[in-house]
Amino acid sequence: MAPGGGSCKEVIESRVTFSDYDMATSSADLRGSPLRKTATALSGNLGSTSMNDVHELLECPVCVNLMYPPIYQVDSPKAKVFQDAFSLRFIVLSESELCPNGHTVCSTCKTRVHNCCPTCRNELGNIRCLALEKVAESLELPCSYQILGCHDIFPYYSKLKHEKNCRYRPYSCPYAGAECSVTGDIPFLVMHLKNDHKVDMHDGCTFNHRYVKSNPHEVENATWMLTVFNCFGRQFCLHFEAFHIGMAPVYMAFLRFMGDEDEARQFSYSLEVGGSGRKFMWQGVPRSIRDSHRKVRDSQDGLIIQRNLALYFSGGDRQELKLKVAGRIWKEQ
C-alpha cells in the first residue's frame, strides 16, 4: 500500500515518447510541474529548444545556480515518475498519480531550506529527480566566463569542473590586510587596490622598502601594507608579514604575480636584507594570486628571517624593527 492510502494503478504504457507523455499529462494540475516542462521542452529536436527555458529548468530556486546530481524533488506520495536509464523516455504509472508540484532543489540548498520546498512549502524527501538529471546529461553549455573571454563549450557535467580552473575565471583581491571578497579581472583589481585599499603603486623592476615597527616584541602577528609594482607591463604584489613558525617568531617577504601560474613562471625575483656588514638573500619565482597570501605564507615560499636576526639587521638597541628589503624582478629568457 502506497503512503496516503492508494495503491499504484497499472502502468498505462511501459514506453511512451515525449510527445505521448506531453499529451498524457495535459491536465491543468500538471501545467506548473518542472517535469511537465522538461518533457515539453525536449519533445522533437533538441536543437529547436530555447536554451533559456532549459537553463530555467536546471536552475536551483534557492541559489539560482545550475543544479548538479543529486537533484531532489518534492517528496509526495503522488510522485510516480520514473526514468528509463537508457533513453529520454518515461514510465508513467497514472496521470492522476503524478505529483502536481514536482519542484526541484539542488543538494546543497536542500539542507539550507530545512527540508521544506522553497516553492510550495511541501516537505522535501530524498527522491532523486532522475529525469532532470538525465536531461542535463544531454546538454552542452558555454562556460560561465564566456563574457570574460572563454568561448569553449562543455558537456553539462564537465562544465563545473572546467570552471573551477578556467583561466578566464575572475581573480580574488590580493589584498592581505583584511578579508576582501571583491573579484574581477586584473585591470579591475589594480584600480580596486589603488582606489579602495589605497595601496602603494610603483613603476620599475627594482625596489628598496623599509619596514618599521616600534614594538616588535609585542606584535606576534602583523601584515604590512601591500605594495604593487608595475614591471614588464604586468603587476607584482610585495607582501611582508610577521607570524610564527612553531614557537619561533619570524618575518617573511614574498612576491605574488597578478596573473596565472603559467605566466608567473616566466619571471623570477630576488630579495635581500642586511646590516652590520651582513647580508641575507632569497631568489625564487613569484606565486600567482590564484594562491592566497595565506597559502603562500604557510608554504614558506619566500624570504624568511627570524625576529632576532631582523632586529640585528635593524641596528641600534634591537628594540625597534627598521628592516630594509631590497629586491629585483626580471623576466626569464
Side-chain angles (χ1 to χ4, degrees), residues 173-181 197 223 293:
C173 173
Y175 190 74
E179 294 299 328
C180 181
S181 59
H197 293 299
T223 299
H293 82 281

Side-chain angles (χ1 to χ4, degrees), residues 218-224 241-244 297:
E218 297 177 14
V219 178
E220 300 298 329
N221 295 279
T223 299
W224 275 257
E241 300 192 23
F243 64 105
H244 279 75
R297 189 197 75 178

Side-chain angles (χ1 to χ4, degrees), residues 15 128 159 278:
R15 293 290 186 272
R128 294 276 293 275
K159 178 175 177 285
R278 278 102 174 152

Side-chain angles (χ1 to χ4, degrees), residues 111-264:
T111 55
R112 293 172 54 191
V113 298
H114 306 292
N115 252 28
C116 178
C117 175
T119 305
C120 66
R121 304 303 176 188
N122 280 328
E123 182 180 357
L124 287 170
N126 292 312
I127 296 179
R128 294 276 293 275
C129 189
L130 300 180
L132 203 53
E133 291 181 11
K134 194 67 177 179
V135 168
E137 281 185 16
S138 68
L139 300 179
E140 290 190 343
L141 302 173
C143 175
S144 296
Y145 307 124
Q146 185 180 51
I147 193 173
L148 298 177
C150 184
H151 301 296
D152 293 331
I153 305 294
F154 298 92
Y156 188 85
Y157 293 131
S158 300
K159 178 175 177 285
L160 193 63
K161 182 178 180 180
H162 159 78
E163 288 174 351
K164 289 181 179 179
N165 298 291
C166 178
R167 65 187 302 266
Y168 293 98
R169 71 192 188 278
Y171 296 89
S172 297
C173 173
Y175 190 74
E179 294 299 328
C180 181
S181 59
V182 170
T183 62
D185 60 15
I186 298 302
F188 172 80
L189 289 180
V190 170
M191 294 305 298
H192 165 68
L193 290 170
K194 181 180 179 180
N195 297 331
D196 298 329
H197 293 299
K198 311 298 182 185
V199 305
D200 293 329
M201 298 279 185
H202 297 276
D203 294 324
C205 299
T206 59
F207 51 88
N208 283 279
H209 261 52
R210 185 178 295 275
Y211 297 96
V212 178
K213 197 69 179 177
S214 59
N215 55 343
H217 292 283
E218 297 177 14
V219 178
E220 300 298 329
N221 295 279
T223 299
W224 275 257
M225 176 64 76
L226 182 71
T227 304
V228 176
F229 297 95
N230 296 303
C231 178
F232 297 106
R234 306 306 299 266
Q235 290 74 39
F236 300 82
C237 301
L238 178 62
H239 297 262
F240 189 77
E241 300 192 23
F243 64 105
H244 279 75
I245 297 179
M247 298 297 293
V250 299
Y251 297 99
M252 180 176 176
F254 57 91
L255 205 67
R256 285 199 295 163
F257 173 74
M258 295 188 71
D260 282 334
E261 183 180 355
D262 57 342
E263 297 176 289

Side-chain angles (χ1 to χ4, degrees), residues 271-275 278-282 303-305 309 313:
L271 298 172
E272 65 176 56
V273 294
R278 278 102 174 152
K279 185 181 292 186
F280 193 61
M281 297 184 64
W282 159 268
L303 175 68
I304 298 176
I305 319 161
L309 182 58
F313 285 156

